[in-house]
Amino acid sequence: MAVTLTQAQTVEDTYNKYLDFNLARLQGEQDKAMDFSRQIMQDTARLSVKVKINFFNSLARLYEDDNQSVNAIPLYERVVAAEPDYYVAHRALGYLYLKNISDADKPLNSPSTDAEYVKAVKKPCLNWRRRRPAMLTTIL
């Protein structure tokens, strides 16, 4: 009997933990949901593709709610890779990416102070100005 206790989770055990994860998450028991997620992550191969995508999305949302963007982003990226038309994950990724930009909260018409951004934006503009006469003659 000790041998069966040390074996990896069965498919049914994994699905039961997935159900427990969802129940804990929906009841607002974040710590309990995180514990279940750690157990499930060891055996995600046992979940069907749709359930795995749903699990990753739910776990990413849990991390996002806990201000752990670093952990949420890779999970959302996995969801987007598996389901490219799932707009919720795209929206969440966009929000998390914007959250990391220092000037994102400024009005659009105010100049940016982020040196890397200014450098990246000005470089193509300078090149365009140098090529402008040639471009205009080909368009006209």
Side-chain angles (χ1 to χ4, degrees):
M1 184 161 243
V3 174
T4 47
L5 293 176
T6 59
Q7 289 180 350
Q9 298 180 64
T10 65
V11 173
E12 188 175 326
D13 290 339
T14 305
Y15 273 94
N16 286 338
K17 286 191 170 120
Y18 171 71
L19 294 174
D20 291 337
F21 163 78
N22 280 322
L23 183 62
R25 188 177 56 84
L26 293 173
Q27 290 178 339
E29 298 172 341
Q30 306 331 57
D31 294 336
K32 196 173 180 182
M34 285 294 193
D35 289 340
F36 283 121
S37 72
R38 286 184 204 99
Q39 295 170 24
I40 296 167
M41 284 299 282
Q42 297 170 4
D43 247 347
T44 55
R46 295 182 183 272
L47 299 173
S48 71
V49 174
K50 292 287 184 185
V51 172
K52 192 184 309 186
I53 293 167
N54 190 2
F55 169 68
F56 288 147
N57 189 66
S58 298
L59 182 56
R61 178 63 190 193
L62 203 59
Y63 281 130
E64 183 181 352
D65 290 344
D66 198 30
N67 292 321
Q68 295 184 39
S69 300
V70 174
N71 294 327
I73 288 173
L75 291 168
Y76 278 132
E77 288 173 343
R78 289 174 88 169
V79 172
V80 167
E83 288 289 332
D85 295 334
Y86 187 48
Y87 76 93
V88 175
H90 283 281
R91 185 182 63 204
L93 270 176
Y95 169 76
L96 292 173
Y97 290 151
L98 278 175
K99 192 175 171 183
N100 294 330
I101 297 174
S102 61
D103 291 342
D105 59 343
K106 288 186 178 179
L108 291 176
N109 59 356
S110 68
S112 178
T113 57
D114 186 357
E116 289 297 317
Y117 173 77
V118 171
K119 182 180 174 183
V121 169
K122 283 188 175 182
K123 188 173 183 178
C125 292
L126 292 175
N127 291 338
W128 181 81
R129 286 184 185 140
R130 287 186 205 135
R131 297 187 335 229
R132 184 174 38 183
M135 288 176 58
L136 286 176
T137 57
T138 57
I139 293 173
L140 300 174

